[in-house]
Amino acid sequence: PNSYLKFLLCFQACTGIENIDEAITLLEQNNWDLVAAINGVIPQENGILQSDYGGEAIPGPAFDPTSHPTSAPAPAPASSSAFRPVMPSRQIVERQPRMLDFRVEYRDRNVDVVLEDSCTVGKIKQILENELQIPVSKMLLKGWKTGDVEDSTVLKSLHLPKNNSLYVLTPDLPPPSSSSHAGALQESLNQNFMLIITHREVQREYNLNFSGSSTIQEVKRNVYDLTSIPVRHQLWEGWPASATDDSMCLAESGLSYPCHRLTVGRRCSPAQTREQSEEQSTDVHMVSDSDGDDFEDASEFGVDDGEVFGMASSALRKSPMMPENAENEGDALLQFTAEFSSRYGDCHPVFFIGSLEAAFQEAFYVKARDRKLLAIYLHHDESVLTNVFCSQMLCAESIVSYLSQNFITWAWDLTKDANRARFLTMCNRHFGSVVAQTIRTQKTDQFPLFLIIMGKRSSNEVLNVIQGNTTVDELMMRLMAAMEIFTAQQQEDIKDEDEREARENVKREQDEAYRLSLEADRAKREAHEREMAEQFRLEQIRKEQEEEREAIRLSLEQALPPEPKEENAEPVSKLRIRTPSGEFLERRFLASNKLQIVFDFVASKGFPWDEFKLLSTFPRRDVTQLDPNKSLLEVKLFPQETLFLEAKE
């Protein structure tokens, strides 16, 4: 047991983390791998910390994931101790495999792969072949920091960090074709699922909205933020039988739409759960449930009993500033504001009620003219400076007025270890590890702290960290100095925003003019197309009519009897017909031929009798009005006659 206490204290000494619960949490997240945990807090240049054992990482002791989250790992055999010194016989410390996490992206899918560092790159491809149904020969795995690697390359030789991101290219495979199933899946990915999650131990419900593209792992991580139950210790009820993989998205998991009920609890005994929910007056239970003898060698590492078993004075307070393990930041800040007012009076800064992300939105993500600086007040009840700072400086009318005009003020209480760890997580996410490490290394007597944050395009910048050992004048000077920097940046942002809006207005006007021009051109084009279509239609009709007339003419011409000769035995009538153009048509007919044959002859020359009338000269008469069945002799067109054609009206 003493060696495992040394293991924990060695990690604290390397990282500067004083909070025991936070140190255990970080070690748990890295599977009690000391080197990986230290690299996660203080990254090395090549992503791995070298030990004195031939460049191999020193593994942590084995740890049962079903054990209590705040208890130390079960003792391991002495031969596997991570801190066994090098014996004179030069025994080699046995190295446990190091686990590496890979997030592999392929098109619209993400696959999580966990492997030992003794595996090869080809092993990753084999796993992806089963997950993505892509042959290994068609797969290109990209994203290695050292360039392209071979399938036979051992992962350990690449010196990779614990978490890695890769992506798959398949240049020889065509993109997937759309199908009804793919369309239904895409529709599900765009839907929102309401998950009604019941926290079993505290009997509280959370209504969480997730998109269909969110993964089960993301749900569990969000639940960890709300319940402080690490993912590895979460015990779930209600997931569908098809939800077998945490990397599966909600749309594929078989959840009921639009609402689905789930239950989550901690993977431990009910007695341990009740023990965690109570306020503890010491940090002993955060380290181990074993006897106090586990800590008898703590003095060997420069840590006295007061630091390990330090009694939190805030635990004696009847009304803490903020509840421990606050599930809702807004409710926690409501209690903070009420308690602050009861202690220091109603003249105090107006604290923003809501999450830190909401405070960012209020301060930074608005128009440039409406932006403000963000002031984060970090309270600590155990600091001797807290009461003086709050009553004489933070509640001074000049400070309160200046903060209300120029700042969004957000507060958090770091007295409780769980709240401190939660804020450090938020700080690391929003400001980076440097700021988080700065706050982590602050001693209790240096609190309270006042952080001045300015929003920038790419990231948020901490302008100043004001400690509690200051005066009203110095505090005001620092606030004003930060305001000067912010004002200069704000003027640039306003100028850029005005120029951008002017450009967007010009672009909108140009787009509108272009749209109107396109509509006018389209209208002209459509009118021209309609006109051309009408002309084409008329031309087609005319052409059809001409073809029809030509067919009729040819049929009439072929049906005409042959022209008789002049010396014919029968009487012959010779007709001379003048056309409207002045030309003459001459032909001989038998006197016994019907008048209809003359009409057919004229029509065969292109003058149908329904469009033209045939007139005689002396006497003038309309021949087309005569009976066409009478002979030429009967209508007196014998032996010869001159006729002329005239178009009908």
Side-chain angles (χ1 to χ4, degrees):
N2 294 339
S3 63
Y4 290 94
L5 173 61
K6 296 175 183 179
F7 179 83
L8 174 63
L9 295 178
C10 182
F11 174 74
Q12 290 182 287
C14 293
T15 60
I17 298 176
E18 299 179 355
N19 185 279
I20 298 176
D21 183 48
E22 181 183 354
I24 292 176
T25 301
L26 292 173
L27 287 169
E28 282 185 349
Q29 292 175 353
N30 290 276
N31 200 23
W32 286 87
D33 187 330
L34 177 60
V35 175
I38 293 176
N39 286 337
V41 178
I42 310 175
Q44 306 300 310
E45 292 182 358
N46 59 356
I48 188 168
L49 181 66
Q50 300 295 331
S51 69
D52 295 334
Y53 301 107
E56 294 292 336
I58 303 177
F63 187 68
D64 184 6
T66 62
S67 64
H68 196 284
T70 58
S71 62
S79 60
S80 62
S81 173
F83 292 93
R84 184 179 58 188
V86 179
M87 303 301 294
S89 59
R90 296 180 180 269
Q91 292 178 341
I92 300 177
V93 176
E94 181 181 357
R95 180 185 183 275
Q96 296 180 357
R98 179 167 175 254
M99 304 304 294
L100 300 177
D101 296 337
F102 295 91
R103 187 66 176 263
V104 185
E105 178 182 351
Y106 175 65
R107 291 178 177 167
D108 57 349
R109 291 188 58 187
N110 289 321
V111 178
D112 291 326
V113 179
V114 181
L115 284 176
E116 298 179 358
D117 61 356
S118 59
C119 297
T120 62
V121 175
K123 181 64 175 177
I124 301 179
K125 290 188 176 182
Q126 293 175 5
I127 296 175
L128 294 176
E129 181 180 19
N130 296 330
E131 292 288 337
L132 303 177
Q133 302 302 317
I134 300 174
V136 173
S137 59
K138 304 289 186 180
M139 189 186 307
L140 298 180
L141 198 57
K142 299 292 184 179
W144 306 103
K145 296 182 179 179
T146 57
D148 294 337
V149 297
E150 301 292 336
D151 290 357
S152 59
T153 303
V154 180
L155 297 177
K156 180 172 61 177
S157 65
L158 299 178
H159 303 296
L160 299 172
K162 180 175 178 57
N163 297 310
N164 303 270
S165 295
L166 304 174
Y167 59 93
V168 175
L169 297 180
T170 53
D172 297 335
L173 296 180
S177 59
S178 60
S179 63
S180 58
H181 175 73
L185 177 59
Q186 184 62 36
E187 183 179 356
S188 299
L189 291 174
N190 296 330
Q191 292 175 341
N192 287 330
F193 289 82
M194 168 71 78
L195 299 185
I196 305 175
I197 302 175
T198 302
H199 187 181
R200 186 185 303 111
E201 283 78 14
V202 299
Q203 291 299 313
R204 179 163 183 173
E205 283 191 355
Y206 302 96
N207 296 331
L208 305 179
N209 281 310
F210 291 93
S211 65
S213 59
S214 301
T215 62
I216 297 176
Q217 183 71 18
E218 293 174 1
V219 174
K220 293 184 177 180
R221 289 174 180 169
N222 277 271
V223 170
Y224 167 59
D225 293 337
L226 294 173
T227 63
S228 298
I229 303 177
V231 174
R232 60 184 294 186
H233 295 297
Q234 293 175 7
L235 185 62
W236 287 88
E237 295 178 1
W239 288 106
S242 58
T244 57
D245 189 358
D246 285 359
S247 63
M248 181 182 297
C249 65
L250 300 183
E252 300 174 318
S253 63
L255 292 177
S256 301
Y257 179 81
C259 296
H260 191 91
R261 286 190 171 273
L262 298 168
T263 303
V264 65
R266 185 181 292 273
R267 195 187 300 272
C268 57
S269 65
Q272 290 174 320
T273 303
R274 288 194 300 272
E275 182 179 349
Q276 285 181 348
S277 63
E278 299 175 356
E279 286 191 10
Q280 303 299 324
S281 60
T282 68
D283 292 337
V284 173
H285 298 90
M286 296 182 182
V287 179
S288 174
D289 292 334
S290 60
D291 297 335
D293 294 339
D294 294 352
F295 302 95
E296 61 184 6
D297 291 339
S299 58
E300 297 180 10
F301 290 85
V303 181
D304 58 18
D305 295 340
E307 291 179 343
V308 176
F309 298 93
M311 177 71 72
S313 61
S314 61
L316 302 177
R317 296 182 181 273
K318 294 182 179 180
S319 300
M321 293 294 292
M322 184 176 289
E324 189 172 10
N325 290 323
E327 297 177 351
N328 184 283
E329 296 177 15
D331 295 342
L333 287 170
L334 281 174
Q335 177 174 330
F336 183 93
T337 302
E339 181 64 21
F340 195 94
S341 299
S342 66
R343 293 187 189 182
Y344 306 110
D346 294 333
C347 181
H348 61 75
V350 179
F351 297 115
F352 182 86
I353 305 300
S355 64
L356 184 57
E357 288 82 357
F360 287 153
Q361 294 286 342
E362 184 76 14
F364 306 148
Y365 303 123
V366 294
K367 288 194 173 183
R369 288 182 173 81
D370 300 330
R371 292 173 191 165
K372 292 185 177 182
L373 284 170
L374 178 63
I376 299 179
Y377 170 64
L378 300 179
H379 186 87
H380 203 302
D381 271 334
E382 295 182 358
S383 174
V384 296
L385 301 174
T386 298
N387 287 331
V388 175
F389 183 86
C390 292
S391 59
Q392 298 184 13
M393 281 164 276
L394 195 58
C395 293
E397 292 185 2
S398 58
I399 300 297
V400 172
S401 176
Y402 196 77
L403 287 174
S404 63
Q405 292 177 7
N406 304 294
F407 291 78
I408 297 294
T409 306
W410 190 82
W412 196 257
D413 182 18
L414 302 184
T415 307
K416 301 290 186 180
D417 292 333
N419 292 339
R420 176 188 177 92
R422 184 170 181 175
F423 177 78
L424 290 175
T425 301
M426 292 187 290
C427 186
N428 189 71
R429 181 168 67 249
H430 294 294
F431 309 129
S433 59
V434 176
V435 178
Q437 183 68 13
T438 301
I439 297 175
R440 182 183 289 113
T441 55
Q442 296 290 319
K443 297 186 180 299
T444 301
D445 291 341
Q446 293 175 315
F447 284 90
L449 296 181
F450 217 56
L451 276 62
I452 309 301
I453 315 296
M454 182 174 70
K456 284 194 170 183
R457 296 182 182 90
S458 58
S459 61
N460 303 316
E461 179 182 356
V462 179
L463 294 181
N464 210 333
V465 179
I466 305 174
Q467 296 180 349
N469 55 348
T470 184
T471 63
V472 174
D473 293 339
E474 185 178 355
L475 177 59
M476 178 61 75
M477 290 296 294
R478 290 196 176 189
L479 294 178
M480 294 176 66
M483 193 62 195
E484 289 180 2
I485 298 174
F486 170 74
T487 302
Q489 180 64 43
Q490 186 182 34
Q491 294 302 321
E492 294 182 5
D493 293 343
I494 291 174
K495 181 180 178 182
D496 293 343
E497 192 175 80
D498 290 343
E499 291 177 353
R500 184 171 60 255
E501 289 181 356
R503 290 193 300 269
E504 290 177 354
N505 289 334
V506 172
K507 186 177 182 299
R508 280 194 295 269
E509 293 175 358
Q510 292 176 345
D511 291 344
E512 181 65 17
Y514 180 66
R515 185 184 66 80
L516 294 176
S517 175
L518 287 179
E519 289 182 355
D521 292 343
R522 184 171 61 252
K524 291 180 181 179
R525 183 171 62 254
E526 291 175 353
H528 180 69
E529 290 175 354
R530 287 195 298 270
E531 182 180 355
M532 294 297 294
E534 181 65 18
Q535 291 180 359
F536 179 77
R537 186 182 69 84
L538 295 176
E539 181 66 21
Q540 287 293 109
I541 293 174
R542 185 189 62 79
K543 188 175 181 180
E544 291 174 359
Q545 291 176 348
E546 289 182 354
E547 290 176 353
E548 183 180 359
R549 292 175 62 180
E550 180 65 17
I552 294 173
R553 187 190 69 80
L554 291 175
S555 65
L556 291 175
E557 187 176 40
Q558 293 174 0
L560 287 175
E563 183 179 6
K565 298 181 180 180
E566 292 184 2
E567 297 83 5
N568 199 323
E570 296 185 24
V572 176
S573 177
K574 185 176 182 180
L575 299 181
R576 193 164 182 260
I577 303 171
R578 185 177 183 272
T579 65
S581 62
E583 297 178 357
F584 286 92
L585 303 175
E586 294 183 359
R587 193 181 191 280
R588 292 183 297 276
F589 300 89
L590 293 175
S592 60
N593 287 147
K594 295 181 179 180
L595 183 59
Q596 182 64 47
I597 295 177
V598 177
F599 294 158
D600 292 342
F601 168 72
V602 173
S604 68
K605 298 300 183 182
F607 303 99
W609 67 276
D610 56 341
E611 297 181 14
F612 294 87
K613 50 187 176 179
L614 194 60
L615 304 176
S616 62
T617 54
F618 301 105
R620 182 179 177 83
R621 57 176 178 169
D622 186 356
V623 178
T624 54
Q625 298 296 325
L626 301 177
D627 186 1
N629 293 320
K630 290 185 178 182
S631 65
L632 298 181
L633 184 60
E634 291 175 340
V635 296
K636 298 180 180 180
L637 294 179
F638 177 80
Q640 64 181 12
E641 187 68 39
T642 299
L643 306 173
F644 63 92
L645 290 168
E646 183 179 293
K648 293 182 178 180
E649 294 181 357

